[in-house]
C-alpha cells in the first residue's frame, strides 16, 4: 500500500524501530473522536509490532520521534508542527473531512521527527489515524472479521506528504436493517447481553464497534437498526452520546421520519397512525424527538410512510395521498424551524421517494430546494430513479439508497451477500455521474456477511474516481492481498468473481423458484437437466469447482488467517454451492424417480445432505469459529421462508433383478425399445458443438453389464462396455476427419440385461473456411455479447467491455458514459455492435437479447436497444419495466438476473448475415444474444455459445 517500510529510516520517521518506540500525541482539548482514533492507533501499532506507543496529551518529554494526531485549530501540537511542515493549511481547512499525513523533521524542540496527522475537522483527523493503521497492516475488519494484523518488527513512515480527501460523497454510511436474524440476537445474547435488560436491543457497546468500523472505512453516517424486535436507537440514552463521541451522523430510514422509530416508539394509545385524522398527536410525537436531538449532528428524514415498511395511510387516491404528504412535509419543516436556532434551510434533511412514495412524488410533491432527494434502487441492486436535469440543480442535491441485503418482493436475500461488485460499481458510479453525490446509504442488513461489498461501496463513496479507475477484479485482488496476503490474492479474487457470476444467474435464496407476499412453496428449478450438456449439472459442477478452489486456498493459508477467510469467503461459497445442490439434486431425484432410475435415491440423499451441510456450516460459524464470538450472528433460514426448508425429494423402490434403462440428451423420458422414430441426440456441428451424453442406468436392484456399439468409425464414445450399479453417463463425440463431406447419420446401440436400445447420431456437413463468427446449431445461434465481430462508437456513446458479470461469461458489454442524450430509432449516430452469424434456413427468426436488468435514468428517459439483420427492417425494444415491486416483469428480471427482449425478423437467404445492435439510451448492459430459428427456448440461460473455433 506504500507509505510504510520496515527498513532503516533514511529520512523517514520511525514509529517502531530497533529499541525505539514513538509516542502518540493527541491534545486534551481536541475532539473526543481524535482521542479515540489516536488511542486505537496505539493499539494497532501494538497489534502489528508487539510494542505499544505511549498516548499522551503533553508535548513535554516526547520520545525522539512521535505521531502528532489532531484537528487543525483544536490541537496545539498540530498547530506547532504545521509551522515546520509543507502543508497548505488554508487549502486543508477549506475541505470537508480531509487530512494530511506528513513526515516532518525537527518540528519541535527536542523532537527529531514526527508523523503529522492533521485533519481539517474531527472526522478528517479520525480518518487520518485509521488510514495510518491500515497502512501499517491492520485491516478495517480486524475485529469484525477477525483479520489478523500483518506482523512487523519495525514500522517506519517513508518521507513525504500524503494528502487525502475531500470525499466524493458528502454523507456516506450504512443502514442496519433486517437485524432480527443476526445483529440483534448476537448483540443482545452474545456480545452485550447486559444491555438487553427488558428486551433485546442493540446498545452502546455494539454501536461503539460499529462506529469504529465506519470510521475505519471512512464513512460518517448511520441509519440505526429499527425492526420490531429491536429496541429503538433512542431507547438507549448512551447511543446518541456514543455517536457524537465517534463523530457519526445519525439519520433514520425512509419510514422513520423525524428520528422516530415508529414500530417501537409509537403508542397505539395515542391513536391511529394517520395524519389525516390524528395530525396533532403525530406532530407532538415528532416535536419531542426533534427538540431532544436538535443539538446533535443529525440528518432528518422528511415525509411519512406506514408504521413500518408500508404505504402512508390517509389518502383514497394518489392525488389525495400526494396532498396529504405535502401537508406532512410542510408541517415538518415548520417543526424543524421552531426547534433549532438556525434557519431550517441549514438543517440537513433528506426525502426518500422509496417504493410507492416515488409514484406519489411523481404526482407532484413540492420538496424544498435545500432538501436532499435520496433516490432508491429497486432493492435488488439496480437503481430505479435518478435526478432529472432540473433536479440536479437543487441546492440540497441528491443521494442514493442502495441495497446489498433485502427483505421483500419478489423474494428476500437476507442470508448470503451476493450483489456483484461490478454491478455495485456500475450503478453507484452512474448515480454519481447523474448528480447523486450528497448522501449514500447502503442497506447492509447485519453487516456480516456483506463485509466485502460494503467496503467496496464505501470506497466508491470516499473516492469515486480512484475506485472506478480500476476494475472490480483489480479491487478484489488488492483487497484479498490486504486480508490474506499476496500469495493467494489472485486466486481469491478469481473465485469470488465466479461466485458473483453464479449468484447473478440465480441467488442462493432464489433457488427455490418461490416468492414472498404471499409466501409460496418451492417450485421446479428452470435449469434444464436434459439439454445443453445437462445445464443443471453444469451449475452444480461449477460450484463444486469453486468450493474446491476455495478450500485449497483455505488449507494453504497460515492457520491464523483461516477464520477470516471462512467468514469473508468460504462460508458463502460453501453455502451457495450447497443451496444449488439441495434444489438441483432434489429436482433430479424427482425426474429420475419418474424415469425409473434407481439413482433417484442417491440424488435424494445428496439433496438432504446439502441441506444438513448448510445447517452444519452455520452452526460452525456461530458456535465454534473464533471460540463462539459470533454466536447468533448468522441464520441459515431468515424469516423461516419455505426456500430454507428441507428439500422435497423423491425415492424409488427398485424392481427385482437386473433392468437396464437408457436416456439421451434432449429428452426427459427414457428410450423405449418400441419407438417408431429412432430417438436422436442433438445434431453435432463441426467446430462448435461439445460432446453429447447418453445415460445408462439401472432400474432394478442388481448391477447391469452393458455395452455400447457405434455404427460408424466417426462416432466416438468415451466407454464401450462396463457394469453399471446405478448410472453411467456416456459422452458421445464426433471425429470430424472421418465424417463424409455431405455429413452423416449413424447410431449408438446400448445392450444389457436382455434389452437393446439405439440412439441416432447426426453430424452436419463439415464447413469450409467460415465467413461468420457464429453459426446456427440445433436451431439457434448463441453469442456472448462481448465477443462482437465489430463495434462502432456513437456520437454520443461508446461500447465498452464491462465487469458486471454475465450469467454465462464473466463479462458483459455496456454503453458508456452512464449519462448521455438518447438517440432516435434509425439514427446512424447510435453506438453499434455487429455480429457475423451464419443461418442455415430462411423464414422468421427470433432475436433474443439478454440484458442486465438495469433501469432507465428517470421517468423521463427510457432504456432501449434497436436490432436489425443486414440493415433490414429494425425493431426497437425497451427493457425498462415499471419498476414497482408489484410489476411481474420486474420481478422476473431481478430473480433471473436478466431483462430479456425478443424481436422477430425475416430471413430470405441461408448464408452469412450481420446482426446489428444499436444502443439508444444510456445504462444499457448487454449479456447474451440468441437467434432462434425454431422458436424453442429450452434452457434457463439459453444455449451455449455457438462461436466458430478457428
Amino acid at each position: 500500500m506504500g507509505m510504510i517500510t520496515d527498513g532503516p529510516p533514511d529520512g523517514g520517521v520511525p514509529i517502531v524501530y530497533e529499541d525505539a518506540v514513538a509516542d502518540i500525541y493527541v491534545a486534551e482539548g481536541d475532539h473526543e473522536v481524535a482521542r479515540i482514533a489516536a488511542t486505537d492507533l496505539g493499539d494497532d501499532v501494538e497489534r502489528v509490532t508487539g510494542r505499544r506507543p505511549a498516548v499522551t496529551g503533553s508535548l513535554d518529554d516526547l520520545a525522539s520521534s512521535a505521531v502528532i494526531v489532531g484537528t487543525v485549530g483544536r490541537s496545539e501540537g498540530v498547530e506547532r508542527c504545521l509551522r515546520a511542515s509543507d502543508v497548505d493549511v488554508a487549502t486543508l481547512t477549506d475541505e470537508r473531512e480531509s487530512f494530511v499525513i506528513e513526515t516532518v523533521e525537527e518540528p519541535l524542540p527536542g523532537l527529531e521527527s514526527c508523523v503529522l496527522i492533521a485533519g481539517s475537522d474531527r472526522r478528517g483527523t479520525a480518518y487520518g489515524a485509521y488510514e495510518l493503521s491500515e497502512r501499517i497492516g491492520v485491516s478495517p475488519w480486524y475485529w469484525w472479521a477477525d483479520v489478523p494484523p500483518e506482523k512487523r518488527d519495525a514500522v517506519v513512515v517513508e518521507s513525504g506528504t500524503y494528502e487525502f480527501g475531500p470525499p466524493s460523497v458528502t454523507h456516506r454510511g450504512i443502514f442496519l436493517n433486517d437485524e432480527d436474524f443476526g445483529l440483534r440476537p448476537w448483540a443482545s445474547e452474545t456480545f452485550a447481553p447486559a444491555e438487553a435488560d427488558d428486551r433485546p436491543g442493540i446498545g452502546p457497546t455494539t454501536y461503539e464497534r460499529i462506529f469504529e468500523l465506519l470510521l475505519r472505512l471512512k464513512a460518517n453516517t448511520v441509519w440505526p437498526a429499527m425492526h420490531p424486535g429491536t429496541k429503538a436507537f433512542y431507547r438507549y440514552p448512551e447511543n446518541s452520546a456514543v455517536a457524537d463521541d465517534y463523530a457519526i451522523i445519525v439519520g433514520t430510514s425512509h419510514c422513520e421520519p423525524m428520528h422516530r422509530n415508529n414500530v417501537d416508539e409509537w403508542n397505539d394509545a395515542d391513536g391511529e397512525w394517520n395524519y389525516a385524522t390524528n395530525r396533532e398527536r403525530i406532530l407532538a410525537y415528532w416535536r419531542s424527538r426533534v427538540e431532544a436531538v436538535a443539538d446533535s449532528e443529525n440528518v432528518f428524514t422528511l415525509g411519512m410512510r406506514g408504521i413500518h415498511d408500508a404505504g402512508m395511510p390517509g389518502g383514497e387516491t394518489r392525488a389525495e395521498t400526494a396532498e396529504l404528504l405535502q401537508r406532512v412535509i410542510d408541517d415538518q419543516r415548520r417543526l424543524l424551524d421552531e426547534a433549532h436556532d438556525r434557519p431550517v434551510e441549514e438543517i440537513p434533511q433528506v426525502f426518500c421517494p422509496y417504493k410507492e412514495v416515488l409514484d406519489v412524488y411523481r404526482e407532484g410533491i413540492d420538496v424544498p430546494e435545500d432538501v436532499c432527494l435520496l433516490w432508491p434502487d429497486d432493492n435488488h441492486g439496480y437503481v430505479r430513479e435518478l435526478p432529472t436535469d432540473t433536479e440536479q440543480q437543487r441546492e440540497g442535491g441528491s443521494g442514493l439508497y442502495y441495497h446489498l441485503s433485502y427483505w421483500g418482493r419478489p423474494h428476500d436475500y437476507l442470508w448470503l451477500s451476493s450483489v456483484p461488485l461490478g454491478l455495485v460499481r456500475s450503478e453507484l458510479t452512474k448515480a454519481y455521474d447523474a448528480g447523486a453525490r450528497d448522501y449514500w446509504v447502503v442497506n447492509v442488513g447485519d453487516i456480516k456477511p456483506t463485509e466485502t461489498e460494503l467496503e467496496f461501496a464505501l470506497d466508491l463513496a470516499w473516492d469515486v474516481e480512484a475506485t472506478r479507475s480500476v476494475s472490480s477484479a483489480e479491487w478484489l485482488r488488492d483487497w484479498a492481498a490486504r486480508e490474506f496476503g499476496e500469495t493467494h490474492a489472485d486466486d481469491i479474487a478469481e473465485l469470488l468473481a465466479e461466485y458473483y457470476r453464479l449468484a447473478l444467474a440465480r441467488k442462493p435464496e432464489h433457488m427455490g423458484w418461490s416468492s414472498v407476499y404471499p409466501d409460496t412453496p418451492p417450485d421446479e428449478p428452470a435449469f434444464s437437466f436434459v439439454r445443453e450438456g445437462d445445464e443443471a449439472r453444469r451449475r452444480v459442477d461449477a460450484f463444486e469447482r469453486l468450493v474446491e478452489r476455495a478450500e485449497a486456498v483455505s488449507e494453504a493459508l497460515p492457520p491464523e488467517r483461516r477464520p477470516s477467510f471462512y467468514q469473508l469467503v468460504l462460508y458463502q461459497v460453501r453455502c451457495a454451492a450447497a443451496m444449488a445442490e439441495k434444489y438441483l439434486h432434489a429436482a433430479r431425484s424427482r425426474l429420475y424417480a419418474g424415469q425409473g432410475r434407481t439413482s433417484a435415491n442417491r440424488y435424494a440423499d445428496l439433496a438432504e445432505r446439502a441441506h444438513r451441510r448448510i445447517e452444519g456450516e452455520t452452526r460452525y460459524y456461530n458456535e465454534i469459529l473464533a471460540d463462539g464470538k459470533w454466536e447468533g450472528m448468522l441464520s441459515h433460514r431468515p424469516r423461516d421462508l419455505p426456500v430454507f426448508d428441507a428439500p422435497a425429494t423423491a425415492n424409488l423402490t427398485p424392481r427385482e433383478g437386473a433392468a437396464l434403462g437408457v436416456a439421451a440428451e434432449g429428452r426427459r423420458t427414457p428410450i423405449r425399445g418400441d419407438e417408431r422414430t429412432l430417438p436422436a441426440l442433438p445434431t453435432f456441428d463441426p467446430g462448435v458443438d461439445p460432446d453429447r451424453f447418453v445415460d445408462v442406468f439401472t432400474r432394478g436392484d442388481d448391477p447391469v453389464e452393458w455395452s455400447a456399439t457405434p455404427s460408424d468409425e466417426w462416432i466416438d464414445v468415451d466407454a464401450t462396455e462396463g457394469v453399471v450399479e446405478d448410472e453411467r453417463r456416456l459422452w458421445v463425440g464426433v471425429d470430424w476427419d472421418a465424417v463424409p463431406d455431405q455429413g452423416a447419420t449413424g447410431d449408438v446401440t446400448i445392450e444389457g440385461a436382455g434389452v437393446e436400445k439405439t440412439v441416432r447420431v447426426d453430424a452436419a456437413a463439415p464447413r469450409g473456411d467460415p465467413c461468420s463468427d457464429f453459426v446456427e446449431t440445433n436451431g439457434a445461434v448463441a453469442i456472448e455479447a462481448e465477443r462482437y465481430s465489430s463495434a462502432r462508437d456513437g456520437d454520443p456513446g461508446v461500447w465498452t467491455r464491462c465487469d458486471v458479470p454475465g450469467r454465462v461469461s464473466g463479462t458483459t458489454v455496456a454503453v458508456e458514459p452512464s449519462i448521455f442524450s438518447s438517440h432516435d430509432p434509425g439514427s446512424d449516430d447510435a453506438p453499434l455492435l455487429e455480429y457475423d452469424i451464419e443461418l442455415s434456413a430462411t423464414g422468421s427468426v427470433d432475436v433474443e437479447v439478454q440484458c442486465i436488468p438495469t433501469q432507465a435514468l428517470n421517468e423521463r428517459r427510457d432504456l432501449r436497444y434497436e436490432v436489425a439483420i443486414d440493415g433490414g427492417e429494425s425493431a426497437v425494444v425497451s427493457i425498462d419495466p415499471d419498476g414497482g415491486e408489484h410489476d411481474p416483469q420486474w420481478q422476473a428480471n431481478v430473480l433471473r438476473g436478466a431483462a430479456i427482449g425478443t424481436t422477430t425478423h425475416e430471413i430470405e437467404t441461408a448464408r452469412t448475415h450481420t446482426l446489428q445492435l444499436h444502443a439508444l439510451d444510456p445504462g444499457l448492459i448487454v449479456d447474451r444474444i440468441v437467434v432462434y430459428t425454431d422458436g424453442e427456448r429450452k434452457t434457463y440461460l439459453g444455449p451455449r455459445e455457438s462461436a466458430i473455433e478457428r
Side-chain angles (χ1 to χ4, degrees):
M1 295 181 66
M3 189 190 294
I4 303 298
T5 181
D6 53 10
D10 291 337
V13 178
I15 296 178
V16 174
Y17 191 76
E18 295 180 344
D19 295 331
V21 180
D23 292 333
I24 298 177
Y25 164 87
V26 59
E28 293 179 359
D30 210 333
H31 299 284
E32 177 63 12
V33 73
R35 184 199 62 78
I36 291 171
T39 302
D40 286 346
L41 175 59
D43 294 342
D44 292 340
V45 171
E46 185 177 21
R47 291 184 178 102
V48 169
T49 68
R51 314 277 294 281
R52 183 173 184 80
V55 180
T56 178
S58 172
L59 293 172
D60 298 329
D61 301 321
L62 291 175
S64 60
S65 62
V67 181
I68 306 296
V69 180
T71 311
V72 176
R74 292 290 294 256
S75 169
E76 178 188 357
V78 168
E79 296 301 314
R80 291 177 65 181
C81 290
L82 282 171
R83 297 169 196 158
S85 78
D86 295 326
V87 174
D88 184 339
V89 179
T91 299
L92 176 62
T93 54
D94 281 346
E95 300 290 3
R96 176 187 176 96
E97 297 181 350
S98 300
F99 62 94
V100 171
I101 300 176
E102 184 177 59
T103 57
V104 184
E105 295 294 323
E106 299 182 350
L108 301 171
L111 184 59
E112 295 179 6
S113 62
C114 79
V115 178
L116 173 62
I117 301 177
S120 65
D121 52 30
R122 60 178 182 158
R123 279 186 290 274
T125 300
Y127 297 155
Y130 290 125
E131 177 70 26
L132 186 57
S133 286
E134 185 175 347
R135 296 293 181 124
I136 69 174
V138 178
S139 166
W141 301 98
Y142 81 96
W143 192 87
W144 277 96
D146 300 301
V147 178
E150 180 182 343
K151 297 297 184 181
R152 293 174 177 268
D153 294 328
V155 172
V156 176
V157 179
E158 295 179 310
S159 177
T161 300
Y162 308 90
E163 299 177 350
F164 301 83
S168 299
V169 177
T170 306
H171 293 87
R172 315 164 304 284
I174 63 173
F175 180 21
L176 302 169
N177 195 214
D178 308 322
E179 64 281 355
D180 298 0
F181 321 104
L183 188 62
R184 189 262 301 158
W186 167 80
S188 59
E189 298 169 21
T190 300
F191 183 58
E195 294 176 351
D197 44 9
D198 54 341
R199 64 186 179 87
I202 299 173
T205 303
T206 302
Y207 274 114
E208 282 183 351
R209 285 294 186 181
I210 293 170
F211 296 158
E212 178 196 335
L213 173 67
L214 291 181
L215 292 178
R216 287 181 182 269
L217 297 174
K218 298 186 180 66
N220 62 13
T221 300
V222 69
W223 284 2
M226 45 72 74
H227 261 222
T230 299
K231 282 191 294 190
F233 182 79
Y234 291 105
R235 291 280 188 184
Y236 296 92
E238 303 94 336
N239 278 352
S240 55
V242 170
D244 184 62
D245 286 347
Y246 279 81
I248 296 299
I249 303 165
V250 180
T252 48
S253 73
H254 48 80
C255 55
E256 300 175 279
M258 312 305 277
H259 277 252
R260 276 293 193 178
N261 179 320
N262 304 318
V263 295
D264 186 27
E265 296 183 319
W266 178 255
N267 192 332
D268 290 341
D270 291 326
E272 63 178 337
W273 182 254
N274 187 321
Y275 205 71
T277 61
N278 200 15
R279 172 176 176 265
E280 292 304 319
R281 181 64 197 93
I282 294 173
L283 270 176
Y285 166 75
W286 286 338
R287 181 179 293 107
S288 65
R289 177 57 45 75
V290 170
E291 292 175 347
V293 302
D295 293 333
S296 300
E297 189 176 11
N298 297 312
V299 174
F300 290 93
T301 296
L302 301 185
M304 186 176 182
R305 297 188 70 218
I307 285 288
H308 196 202
D309 191 359
M312 179 183 71
E316 295 297 325
T317 66
R318 186 174 294 174
E320 291 177 357
T321 300
E323 182 180 355
L324 184 61
L325 183 58
Q326 185 69 64
R327 188 181 184 191
V328 167
I329 292 172
D330 294 343
D331 286 349
Q332 289 171 337
R333 295 277 287 183
R334 284 191 291 272
L335 193 159
L336 289 171
D337 196 27
E338 293 166 0
H340 290 80
D341 59 3
R342 62 189 189 275
V344 68
E345 292 82 7
E346 297 178 12
I347 301 166
Q349 300 155 67
V350 299
F351 173 76
C352 183
Y354 180 65
K355 286 191 175 179
E356 80 291 336
V357 182
L358 180 58
D359 295 327
V360 179
Y361 172 76
R362 289 168 172 168
E363 185 73 20
I365 299 293
D366 181 17
V367 179
E369 285 291 308
D370 58 275
V371 175
C372 176
L373 294 177
L374 191 63
W375 301 103
D377 73 341
D378 65 353
N379 306 309
H380 290 258
Y382 307 99
V383 177
R384 185 179 176 193
E385 185 90 355
L386 288 169
T388 63
D389 292 344
T390 300
E391 288 163 338
Q392 289 183 32
Q393 307 307 313
R394 294 170 51 87
E395 180 185 346
S398 290
L400 181 65
Y401 173 43
Y402 192 79
H403 286 74
L404 296 174
S405 171
Y406 182 60
W407 168 339
R409 293 184 179 93
H411 198 284
D412 306 1
Y413 59 101
L414 299 171
W415 173 38
L416 304 181
S417 186
S418 56
V419 180
L421 297 195
L423 179 62
V424 175
R425 179 176 181 263
S426 177
E427 293 296 275
L428 267 58
T429 55
K430 177 171 68 177
Y432 183 84
D433 292 343
R437 304 179 177 187
D438 294 276
Y439 202 107
W440 284 8
V441 173
V442 182
N443 187 323
V444 296
D446 300 301
I447 296 177
K448 301 175 72 65
T450 62
E451 298 100 330
T452 308
E453 298 79 12
L454 161 61
E455 182 174 356
F456 182 68
L458 290 179
D459 268 9
L460 281 164
W462 171 255
D463 191 340
V464 70
E465 297 303 336
T467 308
R468 80 195 303 183
S469 68
V470 299
S471 68
S472 60
E474 292 174 289
W475 186 93
L476 262 179
R477 193 243 169 247
D478 291 342
W479 169 88
R482 185 195 70 192
E483 305 299 68
F484 309 112
E486 288 283 346
T487 303
H488 302 287
D490 288 331
D491 288 339
I492 294 169
E494 289 171 5
L495 69 88
L496 280 174
E498 175 69 353
Y499 165 77
Y500 291 129
R501 181 190 71 81
L502 291 166
L504 181 74
R506 200 79 187 184
K507 288 184 181 297
E509 297 89 342
H510 302 162
M511 281 298 295
W513 264 259
S514 49
S515 60
V516 298
Y517 300 120
D519 296 349
T520 62
D523 202 349
E524 287 294 322
F527 288 97
S528 175
F529 295 85
V530 299
R531 298 186 184 277
E532 294 299 331
D534 191 340
E535 184 183 40
R537 173 88 68 184
R538 285 164 45 214
R539 182 170 175 87
V540 169
D541 289 348
F543 268 119
E544 286 181 354
R545 291 191 297 270
L546 192 62
V547 170
E548 288 175 2
R549 294 176 65 187
E551 290 178 344
V553 170
S554 180
E555 292 172 6
L557 287 172
E560 66 272 15
R561 291 195 180 273
R562 291 174 190 166
S564 56
F565 185 77
Y566 186 85
Q567 294 171 61
L568 296 172
V569 180
L570 190 55
Y571 175 82
Q572 300 208 81
V573 168
R574 280 179 172 171
C575 288
M579 198 64 145
E581 292 177 33
K582 167 181 164 178
Y583 273 99
L584 296 178
H585 286 331
R588 194 179 295 275
S589 78
R590 298 190 294 270
L591 173 65
Y592 283 8
Q595 293 179 349
R597 299 195 195 199
T598 59
S599 59
N601 299 339
R602 178 165 57 86
Y603 287 107
D605 182 58
L606 288 172
E608 290 158 1
R609 287 185 190 179
H611 177 67
R612 293 193 297 271
R613 199 160 71 243
I614 293 170
E615 294 176 338
E617 294 289 346
T618 308
R619 188 163 48 249
Y620 173 81
Y621 197 127
N622 285 333
E623 300 176 11
I624 299 173
L625 180 71
D627 296 324
K629 175 181 177 179
W630 301 113
E631 174 68 39
M633 178 57 83
L634 287 193
S635 169
H636 63 278
R637 47 180 311 110
R639 294 214 296 135
D640 289 326
L641 291 176
V643 70
F644 301 116
D645 292 344
T649 59
N651 291 90
L652 176 76
T653 301
R655 62 180 65 181
E656 292 185 1
L660 176 71
V662 176
E665 179 170 352
R667 292 170 43 118
R668 289 183 63 86
T669 57
I671 297 172
R672 304 193 313 272
D674 59 350
E675 296 188 58
R676 293 183 179 180
T677 302
L678 199 63
L681 291 172
T683 301
F684 289 87
D685 200 288
V688 175
D689 276 345
D691 291 351
R692 306 292 186 178
F693 68 84
V694 176
D695 286 344
V696 178
F697 56 88
T698 60
R699 300 166 63 89
D701 53 14
D702 287 341
V704 174
E705 187 174 347
W706 59 272
S707 65
T709 306
S711 63
D712 297 272
E713 291 184 356
W714 56 267
I715 301 174
D716 293 329
V717 183
D718 70 339
T720 57
E721 61 182 6
V723 176
V724 60
E725 296 185 356
D726 68 347
E727 66 180 2
R728 170 69 158 86
R729 176 156 287 179
L730 306 180
W731 289 101
V732 180
V734 170
D735 179 0
W736 290 103
D737 292 335
V739 174
D741 291 344
Q742 69 275 19
T745 294
D747 58 57
V748 177
T749 299
I750 294 96
E751 296 180 87
V755 299
E756 178 181 296
K757 298 185 179 183
T758 302
V759 180
R760 194 176 84 230
V761 180
D762 296 320
R767 292 184 177 85
D769 187 18
C771 299
S772 58
D773 295 316
F774 303 92
V775 298
E776 175 192 344
T777 178
N778 290 291
V781 181
I783 303 164
E784 298 301 325
E786 69 273 13
R787 295 181 51 166
Y788 44 81
S789 303
S790 63
R792 188 187 71 203
D793 290 349
D795 183 19
V798 298
W799 290 104
T800 62
R801 282 178 169 81
C802 176
D803 58 3
V804 177
R807 299 195 303 164
V808 174
S809 74
T811 306
T812 49
V813 61
V815 62
E816 296 286 352
S818 53
I819 311 293
F820 63 80
S821 56
S822 296
H823 296 279
D824 293 328
S827 171
D828 291 334
D829 291 333
L832 170 67
L833 295 175
E834 292 187 326
Y835 301 88
D836 294 334
I837 63 175
E838 182 176 308
L839 300 177
S840 60
T842 60
S844 295
V845 300
D846 291 338
V847 177
E848 178 182 274
V849 180
Q850 301 180 13
C851 302
I852 301 299
T854 53
Q855 299 191 37
L857 292 175
N858 53 58
E859 64 169 332
R860 300 181 183 180
R861 304 294 295 271
D862 205 339
L863 190 56
R864 302 163 300 158
Y865 67 84
E866 184 175 19
V867 63
I869 296 177
D870 297 331
E873 185 175 352
S874 65
V876 175
V877 175
S878 170
I879 62 163
D880 187 37
D882 169 72
E885 63 177 341
H886 300 287
D887 178 4
Q889 186 60 64
W890 169 80
Q891 292 185 358
N893 289 353
V894 296
L895 289 174
R896 68 190 176 191
I900 301 176
T902 303
T903 56
T904 300
H905 305 262
E906 293 298 322
I907 301 299
E908 297 181 356
T909 59
R911 60 175 175 83
T912 296
H913 301 270
T914 299
L915 187 150
Q916 295 145 328
L917 180 70
H918 286 93
L920 301 182
D921 300 294
L924 188 70
I925 304 176
V926 185
D927 179 9
R928 311 191 76 218
I929 302 169
V930 183
V931 181
Y932 288 101
T933 61
D934 61 7
E936 291 189 62
R937 290 152 182 79
K938 306 168 184 175
T939 58
Y940 177 64
L941 299 172
R944 286 172 288 184
E945 188 176 46
S946 55
I948 288 288
E949 297 181 9
R950 298 184 188 278

